[in-house]
Structures are given as structure tokens and as C-alpha cells.
Amino acid sequence: VQLQASGGGLVQAGGSLRLSCAASGSILRIHNMGWYRQVPGNQRDMVATVTSRDITNYADSVKGRFTISRDNAKNTVYLRMNSLKPEDTAVYYCQADVSTTPWRRSDYWGQGTLVTVSS
């Protein structure tokens, strides 16, 4: 299973970006999907997650500004980021909890996409 993330870049404070992450490979079912971010030297933190039933969860720091969604037909998860702040600058990683067989289930991670917010 491979996760391919895209959509990062440089944006001014107050601007918007949309990240996408498509899963491919031998996929039986995708359970939770999520976005995490990491600043060099810090731990990787949860930004937002979405279950297979579209139940979402957000870090307090992004509530009201970010929206996570998924397209199950495309095995893709999105993160819409509005009102970006310099402190949102990080490498963003997508994650998917995937069953590849009825007996095998694992977490998979994308390669990371850099988001830089200038002040």
C-alpha cells in the first residue's frame, strides 16, 4: 500500500491550501484516515482524523480553520486549510489504517508534504 500526498507549498498568513493523499495498492478496506504534522526537532502531532463513517476529530489548534474529508471511491483523504498561520508551518503526513486481507491490518504513511506559511 502506498500513500501519495500532494498540495503543500508556500502561502501567506491568512491564505488557504488543500492537501490531498491518495492510497493505492492491495487495499481491502480503509478504516481511519488522518493528517499529522511535524516540525523538525519535535514530535509528530495529530492534526485531524476521519473515520470510515465520516466522524472527524481535530486538534484544538486547527478547529474552525481546517476541514478533513475523504472520498472512499478514490481512496483519498483531503485537508482543507484556511486562515493559515505561521505556526502551521510543518511537514504534513497523511496516514491510513488499512486492511489488506481479512486478517491483516496496518497503519501506512505518506511521504510528507511541506507547508510553509509566511508572516
Side-chain angles (χ1 to χ4, degrees), residues 59-96:
D60 288 343
S61 59
V62 307
K63 283 181 181 176
R65 300 188 298 122
F66 291 10
T67 302
I68 189 170
S69 61
R70 61 190 286 173
D71 184 334
N72 293 325
K74 296 181 179 180
N75 289 338
T76 299
V77 62
Y78 305 96
L79 186 68
R80 177 67 180 181
M81 304 184 292
N82 295 329
S83 302
L84 282 160
K85 304 175 181 180
E87 51 264 42
D88 294 318
T89 296
V91 177
Y92 284 71
Y93 296 90
C94 57
Q95 170 266 341

Side-chain angles (χ1 to χ4, degrees), residues 14-83:
S16 299
L17 282 175
R18 190 179 83 151
L19 306 182
S20 300
C21 177
S24 62
S26 182
I27 297 170
L28 177 63
R29 181 183 176 188
I30 301 179
H31 308 278
N32 294 352
M33 304 184 82
W35 289 94
Y36 294 72
R37 66 187 181 188
Q38 187 171 23
V39 175
N42 290 2
Q43 66 181 17
R44 188 173 297 184
D45 294 323
M46 186 276 291
V47 176
T49 61
V50 58
T51 71
S52 57
R53 297 184 179 183
D54 287 329
I55 297 171
T56 59
N57 184 43
Y58 295 93
D60 288 343
S61 59
V62 307
K63 283 181 181 176
R65 300 188 298 122
F66 291 10
T67 302
I68 189 170
S69 61
R70 61 190 286 173
D71 184 334
N72 293 325
K74 296 181 179 180
N75 289 338
T76 299
V77 62
Y78 305 96
L79 186 68
R80 177 67 180 181
M81 304 184 292
N82 295 329
S83 302

